[in-house]
Amino acid sequence: MEFEPKIVAFLCNWCSYTGADLAGTSRMKYSPSLRIIRVMCSGRICPTFIFKAFQEGADGVLVCGCHPGDCHYNEGNYKCLRRFKLIEKYIRQMGIEPDRIRLAWISASEGKLFAELANEMTQTIKNLGPSTIKAQLEQMV
Amino acid sequence: MSEYDRIGIIFCDPPSGYTPVDLSDLIIFVRDNLKIPVIIDQPRYLFSDFHVLMETIRHHRLTSVILAGIRPERFRQIVRTAMTKLGYQAESVVIADFGDTWCVYESQVQNVYELLERVHSQVVDKRHQSSHIQQDTIVIGAGIAGIQASLEIANAGLKVYLIEKSGTIGGHMAKFDKTFPTLDCAACILTPKMVEVGQHPLIELMTCSEVVAVNGTPGHYKVTVRQSPRWVDVKSCIGCGTCSEKCPVKVSSEFDEGTTMRKAIYMPFPQAVPNKYLIDGEACRFIQEGKCGVCVKVCPVTGCINLYEVPREIEIEAGNIIVANGFKPFQASRIDRFGYGKYPNVLTSLEFERLINAAGPTGGEITFRTTDKKGNSVFVNDSGKPQKIGIIHCVGSRDENFNPYCSKVCCMYSLKLAHLVREKLPSAEIFEYFIDMRAFGKGYEEFYCRIQDEGVRMIRGKTARVDQIDGHLHLRTEDIIAGRMLEQDMDMIILSIGLEPADDQKKLSDILGIDVDEYGWFKAVRYEIDPVRTNRPGIWIAGVCQGPKDIPDSVVQASAAAAGVLQSIMSDRLTDSEVFPLTYMIN
Amino acid sequence: MISRVDPEFKQELHKYGLREWNECFHCGNCTAICPLTKDDNLFPRRGIRLAQMGLKKQLVSSVDPWLCYYCGECTETCPRNANPGELMMVLRRYLTSCYDWTGISRLFYTRKIWELAAIILIALGVIISFLVFLPPSPDLFSKPQAFINEQGGVMINSLANGISASRFVQLIEYGDLLMAILVAGFLISNIFHMFYRVILSDRNLKFPFYSYFTEFWSLIYNFVTQARFSKCDNRTYWIGHLLVMTGYTIMFTLIVAFLKEFQIEEIKPWYHWQRLLGYYSTFGILFFLIYTFIGRIRKTDLKMQFSHPSDWMFIVLLFFTAVTGILIHIFRVSGLPAATYFTYLIHLAFLVPMIVIEVPFSKWSHLAYRPFAVYFDRLRRAGQNRQSIVELTPAI
Amino acid sequence: MEEIRIGVYICWCGTNIAKNVDVERVAAEAGKLQGVVVARDYKYMCSDPGQDLMVKDIQEMNLNRIVVAACSPRIHEITFRKALEKAGLNPYLFQMANIREQVSWVHDDREKATQKAIDLVTGAVKRVRWQEALNKRSVKVNPATLVIGGGIAGLTAAREIARTGRIVFLVEKEKSLGGMMKKINRTFPNLDEASKYLNPIIEEVSSHPHIQVYLNSQLVKLSGYVGNFIGTVNHKETQSELEFGNIIVATGLKPFKPTPLSNYAYKRLPNIITSVEFEEMLSKGYIRLDSRQEPKHVAIIHCVGSRNPDFLPYCSRTCCQTALKFANQIKDLLPKAHVYQIYADMRSMSKGCEEMYSKTAKRGVMFLMYDQKGKLPYIREAGKNEKTRLVIEMKELLSGEQVEVTADLVILMVGMEAQETSKQLSQVLGISRCSNNFYIEKHPKLDPVATTTDGVFIVGSCQAPKEISDSASQAKAAAARVLAMINKDWVEVEVITSSVREEICCGCQICVHVCPYGAIEFLKEKKVSCVNEVICKGCGTCASACPTGAIGSRHFTEKQILAQIEGVMLQLLEV
């Protein structure tokens, strides 16, 4: 059975979640590998969420937020950008390919962009193949 | 009297020939006993310069003025103009005329004090009396506009009586499957609002009721409502439906636009509010001929169905009335060259809306219309799927022989129907015959381009006639852009019918005393900047009853009407038709 | 090629009757409802469009108006009440004035008094020349029996003073021939002008030469049967039209070609071919005239509502010609020579202007233009050997 | 810990969900999850019977957690929370899984979509276990209102509210009130003087005792929340601090500059003007060319910039009807002039406008239709010996002829686009803009004048181009919302603010610096941070920055999200 990746996506309630809904109302088709979790702001996404996702066997993590300057809470997305750069460096040491996580700014009107992003990321993850973190963790324990 | 009210008294100069007199003790009396905050003593310049007068009233923030002195009514008119310019009632200017005996003798001084006292109390009471306009509101018609208006007012903490002619609220919108341009389902938008109306403590819902008489003055309307019987008690009915199963009488369901049959005792549609059964008086055998009565026997709740219920008249006091009685679709049978009524597979857009609806006769499948054994036309799932569908725009609209106005929504809902057909029958060929494609609102033009890209053929040219030739619907159209005659054989034709004023519109306009335009739509006093205000203060119009419009505009107009009501209740006075300074009187 | 829009054209067209047709918003309902429209003949909408835009060249080169027989269904169902049917009538009048290279018919259509003046002028000319060449013999009143033949009828040819019967008929024949040549000359030149405008001026229209002849049968067939007229729902018009057309043609051929056999001295029995033909054509003409008079006055039917003076002129002249013709016959049979002579004179006074004015320059010219229009249309169709460029819909 | 009893409800949403998701299987799978007592599916969960079903279950099986898998929470979370309240359960013990917009509408493969729906429901069930009861906070409403924009919409809103005696601050960036409508000479369809309607309102608003008008001023900073906003307004180089309860945005729109459309040669050839410039000419009472003579041929071209994917892909709604109005005004002022309307679709649909269209046609105006998707009309200079200076070449669709139109004066019906300040203002107010830079309304039908930010309303053409009467209606609709809030005197505020568990707070003050609103103070004596719940807006940035997890945002706690991640990935084991 062809490998169907599982990607955990953290979407901020005001911009990217609305964008995903817009992709829905405009009936844009994209690959069903995304598992969307809604948070109030991209600033709320802390590194533990991303590592927990990998620990639970996710093949990729997508973090979405509002465009810089559009954040409903003024600065949440700047904080998320800073944390993301840190996590990107950090997961290399844990042996996770950096392409498995991705940060994207999606505004409330960019439904089409969200659909393309989902397909694109699924494709990159398919090329990388399933993540082996979960298997390694089970061997260690 | 709300804290925003301030009374001012102006002692006017006596007319020429009288010498001005010292009024100091009179002023002391007024200030100490009557506690009038603003006292102006014999201002010589005040009434000669209009802007100075306006400036003084605005500076002191006066909301009502007493003109005292000898024959002060000389100045009443100019002060009234100033007050109306500031948005207050002309009646807020009161006269205290001391008569000719200006000289302050002992005997006259006493009755001058009494006069002032009486005038002052009259002004205070008047503010009291006019502030007590009825806080309740009556909303006639429970379509999306009526529902929205009721919710706006009820959520502001005021009581609303929602009067609906049919058995359930929801109006025409409840019949639609999807709504343009976002294609979210009508039920998902309407049902929560209906639930909120059904459960709202401040909204009293009266179904099967009609307004029969309105009297009283603006702000204190006494409305008599005639509630025809449902024959099923709303409180005790548990909506189990056994009565409907056993009922022997079957009639065509007007909610499903005649595409399905329903029993004499029925629930209009599964998500109806109130979610209870009712009996159709004309169809029920017991009410017509006194036979049957099966429903009473099978009903698990004793005494729930009372077949002897009689219509009753209820008197309601209301300060404002919002009319939102919607519209009536154009009877497609009036144009016989389209063959509606003669050929089964010529449907009106409302019938198709029901056919394609998940809760419709075939669960959303598009099938041919066939006639069952008893001769009434029904839709069944296995009667085959049409492959070529034509949608004809402007049926009955933009036509001097029927309705010269444009019904504004048919272009968009035709595009939506074309999309829904494309979604359900990907292989079908869909044609739309239109004159001008009117996709004017937010997101409408993008929706129009998207439908064209989906392969729906847009043909500029109105079909003239439809004839059934050996099973196919033969269509003659001139394709103007391609410069050719089109002779096509279709499987199904959808007529995009326009909107007409509701049947009871004329009756309602007479009862309420509001005027209608030449087509029968309610007329707003100043359509350009205030489309909800009618010629009678306290009566507002909202939604399609004022003119064809789509759902977002109806919702906005309903809220606008609610604004008028809230404003009149919260500001304790009823602004009559637009308060304009004299110079701008509208002819 | 680019053509320039001309808003003035509307004013010019208004002179040919009917002012309100400009609010047509091109819904295509009239073209769709008309039973006669086909792919290239998208009238009446195309005609309205060209008239609205003032594209004179395209208007004159299109034969569409001649293919419409004014059943009135388009005007009935027009959503904007823009009278497409009546506009076709107006365009026919306009085209008549365009085909006429002399400009006389434009004069008649645009200024009605000219037409009236021309008719009166010709009538007077006929009367005077008749009185000069064929003066009434003096004893018409004193000795009427001199002109009665053995059956008691008037010997029509010998009424003139000092002119033998055969000479009388010969002179009338010369007059008829002269008139016929005149009329035919104008008519044929106008038809050729129409041919030039419709076919020749269209550079990129090429069609095989032989189709001139293969399509020619359509000209005759249509001239005789007006087959297209029968397709309109209301057929009484078609029958009425057939009657008057056959009646008129018979009378015309009798007078011009067979005058000698027709206008003879002795009174033939009623079953004689000459009488029968006479009765048939008068009946045909009278039936049509009465039907049209009632229609135009009561204005019940749509096509009768807007009567242009040129319509009335033509019917009135035909009516008087027919009436005087009948009177001649009655007076002849009842033996009143004077009455016969003078009615004969009046008969000619109505007949000649009708033929000289109406046929080439006014409404009557449609007898030629309509069949030719069908003929030219078939020529154009043969030329384009129509394959639809835009395969939009498989039009079954 | 009380025993967790969860109820799961899967909605069909007619066929919207049931078409691509096997709803029964999702319900069955959900039934097997730990703690789930009942799992049902129903055609319309948001309807009366759907909600009654849920209420009956809660009462009979005393459920204490509810999960609904249906449409987007942004639409019906409030509806279902109200249903929980009706059943006597705290509304926050509820979680929604979006299986319509984010599953059935976007995936065709039924098997994978059902699998995804099951994962999302599992995640929601796992998350709802950790949700605690929260009580909504109700806050007093400041009866003052801020109206941004002094056009017809702003003026109407200000007047409606001020008439009830409440204070209104009207901020206008220009130096005078009136906005776009001031530039308009007459309104359609009855050609009434626009000033006849506008001046009385301007007069009443500028002289109303309860309205404070701030001309050439702009809102630069905003803080606080619905009912208690504090805004700073730049007013002629002074800054004033204003307190108000609600904001009504009525900033309107501006006309499109047609210079980029080279085929219309705007500003390159003489006597080519935009519709706004023509309105100015009309208000002067005469129609003149640059050369001071009166034009004999006037051409009006529609859809300049509008319905054009490269510039304004939408329809600007009012230009067709304005063009018809212009034609009538030209015919009134210059009876002998010829008027041409060069249009794509005649969109005269409002009340009385179809009759205006037929009246205009009766007056002899020539209508020429061009293909708006194909080659646009091209304006060129006429030859030397021509009567007029300009010639328009176009392909006329109704006749199929390539024609040229002579014109002395060409009026371009320019489209309408959003104000350039809309980007800056949307950041100050925290509301989002659509792809054409107009503001996005909360829901076009459910809530057409509100925005996702409570207390901020958008009215008039700043939401989309519209007619004067619609703008006025929207203004009154927003006024109704504001008056309703003032009349009730309190409003419920979201309660998902942060809270500190002082026992594990190490006093590192990271959260104090991270908070964008300065809602966290550091208590010197206790050496712990403390959250001021009035100012906190619940973004949760502090929660993810805190090293010990002492500070957490309610309803989005660490445990809940981690549990949801587990739930979402759980299915991996069984398949």
Side-chain angles (χ1 to χ4, degrees), chain C residues 248-285:
Chain C
Y248 183 89
T249 332
I250 291 164
M251 287 307 280
F252 187 79
T253 38
L254 281 180
I255 290 165
V256 171
F258 307 96
L259 193 61
K260 285 198 180 54
E261 292 73 20
F262 179 65
Q263 195 167 319
I264 43 170
E265 296 300 25
E266 65 284 347
I267 309 290
K268 288 277 183 278
W270 64 270
Y271 50 79
H272 186 272
W273 64 267
Q274 176 234 18
R275 299 282 295 272
L276 284 182
L277 279 183
Y279 285 142
Y280 166 75
S281 40
T282 20
F283 162 73
I285 293 174

Side-chain angles (χ1 to χ4, degrees), chain B residues 326-478:
Chain B
F327 65 93
K328 170 181 71 171
F330 173 76
Q331 261 76 24
S333 49
R334 282 167 63 188
I335 312 179
D336 48 22
R337 47 194 170 86
F338 287 136
Y340 177 75
K342 271 187 287 177
Y343 311 125
N345 279 313
V346 177
L347 311 175
T348 66
S349 47
L350 271 178
E351 283 167 359
F352 191 75
E353 200 72 63
R354 287 313 300 161
L355 174 63
I356 207 161
N357 193 313
T362 61
E365 293 310 316
I366 303 169
T367 59
F368 285 112
R369 175 165 25 196
T370 51
T371 43
D372 64 5
K373 329 185 247 348
K374 285 214 241 13
N376 26 40
S377 56
V378 277
F379 290 90
V380 283
N381 276 48
D382 48 19
S383 64
K385 291 196 169 16
Q387 274 317 314
K388 288 185 79 171
I389 295 184
I391 304 176
I392 303 174
H393 286 230
C394 296
V395 173
S397 309
R398 296 187 72 184
D399 192 333
E400 312 248 328
N401 313 325
F402 298 99
N403 295 327
Y405 53 82
C406 161
S407 296
K408 208 168 178 179
V409 290
C410 341
C411 276
M412 284 314 292
Y413 77 57
S414 308
L415 287 174
K416 175 196 72 177
L417 290 181
H419 170 77
L420 295 179
V421 170
R422 166 68 63 219
E423 222 180 37
K424 298 243 157 107
L425 302 169
S427 63
E429 271 181 274
I430 308 159
F431 300 88
E432 280 206 42
Y433 306 98
F434 67 97
I435 305 172
D436 288 296
M437 189 54 80
R438 291 182 162 179
F440 48 86
K442 181 168 187 175
Y444 288 16
E445 179 69 18
E446 293 87 342
F447 185 69
Y448 173 38
C449 300
R450 189 176 130 204
I451 303 298
Q452 278 174 313
D453 302 343
E454 277 170 5
V456 174
R457 289 231 183 81
M458 303 286 173
I459 292 166
R460 192 182 287 272
K462 187 172 177 190
T463 314
R465 59 183 325 117
V466 176
D467 311 292
Q468 177 139 335
I469 302 162
D470 53 60
H472 283 295
L473 293 169
H474 185 73
L475 218 59
R476 266 180 72 84
T477 336
E478 184 206 354

Side-chain angles (χ1 to χ4, degrees), chain B residues 238-260:
Chain B
I238 56 165
C240 62
T242 29
C243 54
S244 189
E245 275 146 33
K246 293 289 181 297
C247 173
V249 172
K250 271 181 122 183
V251 280
S252 93
S253 142
E254 57 289 320
F255 177 77
D256 276 337
E257 292 292 320
T259 54
T260 53

Side-chain angles (χ1 to χ4, degrees), chain D residues 7 145 190 196 212 218 254 268 342 351 376 386 510 522:
Chain D
T145 313
N190 318 342
K196 184 171 76 174
Q212 288 166 20
Q218 267 171 328
K254 70 174 172 51
R268 193 158 47 81
I342 299 170
K351 194 172 170 82
L376 297 178
E386 298 279 0
I510 289 180
F522 181 68

Side-chain angles (χ1 to χ4, degrees), chain D residues 36-94:
Chain D
V36 174
V37 172
V38 65
R40 299 182 200 278
D41 59 275
Y42 181 73
K43 263 221 154 131
Y44 289 102
M45 269 315 292
C46 58
S47 67
D48 219 2
Q51 292 184 28
D52 290 349
L53 183 74
M54 200 153 58
V55 169
K56 201 151 42 47
D57 284 357
I58 293 171
Q59 277 146 5
E60 277 156 15
M61 307 177 188
N62 57 56
L63 306 174
N64 45 34
R65 294 293 188 282
I66 296 293
V67 167
V68 170
C71 52
S72 162
R74 285 180 52 256
I75 298 178
H76 283 320
E77 190 168 41
I78 308 154
T79 321
F80 291 116
R81 278 186 177 163
K82 281 209 183 86
L84 261 74
E85 252 163 338
K86 208 157 79 84
L89 190 60
N90 183 287
Y92 284 84
L93 303 173
F94 163 73

Side-chain angles (χ1 to χ4, degrees), chain C residues 38 102 110 287:
Chain C
K38 287 200 291 303
T102 60
T110 44
F287 171 82

